[in-house]
Amino acid sequence: MKKFLLTLATIALIALLAACGSSDEGSSEDNSSGSGEAEGETSEITVGATSVPHAEVLQEAKPLLEEEGITLNIEEYQDYVLPNRDLSEGIIDANYFQHIPYLEKQKEENGYDFANLGGVHIEPMGIYSKGIESIEDVEDGTTVLMSRSVADHGRILSLLEKEGLVKIDPDVDPINAQLEDVVENPKNLEFDAGIEAALLPENYEREENSLVAINTNYAIQADLNPSEDSLILEGSESPYANVIAAKSEDEDNEALNTLVEVLHSEEIQTFMEEEYNGAIVPVDGQNSEDSE
């Protein structure tokens, strides 16, 4: 009888210990899960950007984003095609390299479902020449070298119009103007619009008696100071702000919108002003479609 009672007691004790063990394990798992969620609050985003100045600006924003619990990875590009293609394919979460007319053109031509999350800065378009020292020195038949990017053609023609070198059809929106919309060309300028944007600084060095329209990011890389070296330079009223673009489904993504807020911060705007000596102009909180 004693052995029987001892056996029952042993079984009860084992059952009790097993129950406690299960309870402790459950508690341990719950604590582990809670810890995991806390760690999971750190977000990670990958943003594609052309090297100068976009990637440099993002690099400056990195520590500010870390303070917000966001890890920023920067994927650098040297062209204007791959950043949108990679965004569409989900290789990157957003990109920062383009102005709205280019973004809208890309969406129209490729069916991209992208959203503009906010304008960050303006890169004034400049027209340069190695051998022509002033607009008055532009000779009859001078060649204008420009990017193959159709979205920039109206922008360049507007600069030439401002100096009286051409006249655009008044019924055409200057942003959308193309070469065929030039109705007056008193200097008989010739246009070469088939050049890759990144190669324009090389053309500037080689074609001394031509006018070369160079995007500011490539001008900076070629050690050109837009405010000092250009013959014609866009003003701060330019509608071509560079934006953060993302898939439309990520328009409300908290981490990406925090990125835009950080890029609008006083720290980053001051960095852009001081680092680039007026070559780029910060945009304060502009995020509407007309910000470019």
Side-chain angles (χ1 to χ4, degrees), residues 46 51 72 75 85 110 112 124 142 167 198 206 217 232 249:
T46 299
S51 299
L72 172 63
E75 187 71 31
R85 186 181 303 171
N110 299 290
Y112 294 139
T142 295
K167 184 176 180 180
R206 185 171 61 248
N217 58 317
I232 312 172
E249 64 192 53

Side-chain angles (χ1 to χ4, degrees), residues 45 65 79 84 135 144 220 234 236 253 261 265 274 277:
I45 55 175
L65 286 165
D79 68 85
N84 278 333
I135 295 301
V144 179
I220 294 172
E234 223 169 19
S236 59
N253 181 284
E261 291 173 8
S265 69
E274 295 179 351
N277 298 313

Side-chain angles (χ1 to χ4, degrees), residues 44-50 58 72-77 82-88 90-98 114-118 243-248 250-251 253 255-257 259-260 263:
E44 186 170 345
I45 55 175
T46 299
V47 179
T50 42
L58 290 176
L72 172 63
N73 300 314
I74 304 168
E75 187 71 31
E76 292 192 30
Y77 294 86
L82 289 177
N84 278 333
R85 186 181 303 171
D86 285 356
L87 176 58
S88 177
I91 296 173
I92 56 178
D93 300 305
N95 63 42
Y96 171 38
F97 78 101
Q98 63 192 326
F114 293 163
N116 162 21
L117 301 189
V243 302
I244 297 293
K247 287 185 176 181
S248 294
D250 292 326
E251 191 168 5
N253 181 284
L256 293 178
N257 280 283
L259 167 64
V260 175
L263 293 174

Side-chain angles (χ1 to χ4, degrees), residues 274-287:
E274 295 179 351
E275 181 70 15
Y276 302 105
N277 298 313
I280 69 174
V281 182
V283 175
D284 183 12
Q286 262 181 287
N287 64 353

